[in-house]
Amino acid sequence: EKNVSTALELLRSRYTAHVKCEIPYIISTVHPDKLEGHDEAVISKWAAESQWDGLEIIKTEKGTASDTEGSVEFIAKYREKLKKHTHHEVAKFVKKDGKWFFYDSDLPFKQVVNETPKVGRNDICPCGSGKKYKKCCG
């Protein structure tokens, strides 16, 4: 019930609230501008049907007591119907009137773009042999 002083503390307390199925706390720590779409019944059902196996903090950016925003990348491990799952995200937090709130989240993965053109099977091999790629290095 104490006011958390960092974004990381809020993340940990929200994880604990999922473990203990304290859904009103989870809802109360969502930024007021982002409450739409947070269905208490759905969250409660998911938390109750899951067995929580641990929380791993990957990295934090800002989110200290003197900041007004921050993010925490984490992996939450849990089981549903004995099947193991991992939830990997970057949670974004903002401080409003001195209180930290969960604001939004993103997946931590970025799209990989090839910087060189793709070599086709029937193209000349880039190794310089003069053969088709499929007969050489492909």
Side-chain angles (χ1 to χ4, degrees), residues 18-19 21 23 41-52 78-83 85:
H18 277 91
V19 172
C21 293
I23 309 312
V42 171
I43 297 169
S44 180
K45 185 177 186 309
W46 178 58
E49 291 177 356
S50 299
Q51 292 187 351
W52 299 90
Y78 64 99
R79 286 175 278 144
E80 277 184 302
K81 298 177 184 170
L82 301 176
K83 185 176 178 188
H85 298 276

Side-chain angles (χ1 to χ4, degrees), residues 12-133:
R12 289 183 184 280
S13 70
R14 286 173 53 85
Y15 174 81
T16 300
H18 277 91
V19 172
K20 294 182 169 189
C21 293
E22 294 176 354
I23 309 312
Y25 175 78
I26 294 168
I27 298 297
S28 73
T29 57
V30 174
H31 192 277
D33 294 346
K34 296 291 189 167
L35 279 172
E36 187 177 323
H38 284 81
D39 187 332
E40 194 167 336
V42 171
I43 297 169
S44 180
K45 185 177 186 309
W46 178 58
E49 291 177 356
S50 299
Q51 292 187 351
W52 299 90
D53 295 329
L55 176 66
E56 178 184 351
I57 304 302
I58 307 299
K59 73 176 181 177
T60 60
E61 289 185 18
K62 299 183 182 179
T64 66
S66 61
D67 291 319
T68 58
E69 60 182 40
S71 65
V72 181
E73 182 178 348
F74 69 94
I75 298 173
K77 297 175 183 175
Y78 64 99
R79 286 175 278 144
E80 277 184 302
K81 298 177 184 170
L82 301 176
K83 185 176 178 188
K84 292 183 179 186
H85 298 276
T86 58
H87 178 79
H88 188 177
E89 79 175 45
V90 178
K92 297 177 183 174
F93 299 91
V94 295
K95 192 190 289 186
K96 179 180 179 182
D97 300 326
K99 183 178 177 184
W100 281 103
F101 290 95
F102 169 76
Y103 191 78
D104 204 356
S105 66
D106 286 324
L107 295 176
F109 309 104
K110 294 185 174 136
Q111 183 178 1
V112 176
V113 178
N114 290 334
E115 294 181 12
T116 59
K118 184 177 177 182
V119 179
R121 291 177 34 86
N122 291 315
D123 292 341
I124 299 298
C125 191
C127 76
S129 68
K131 297 178 182 178
K132 287 186 178 183
Y133 181 66

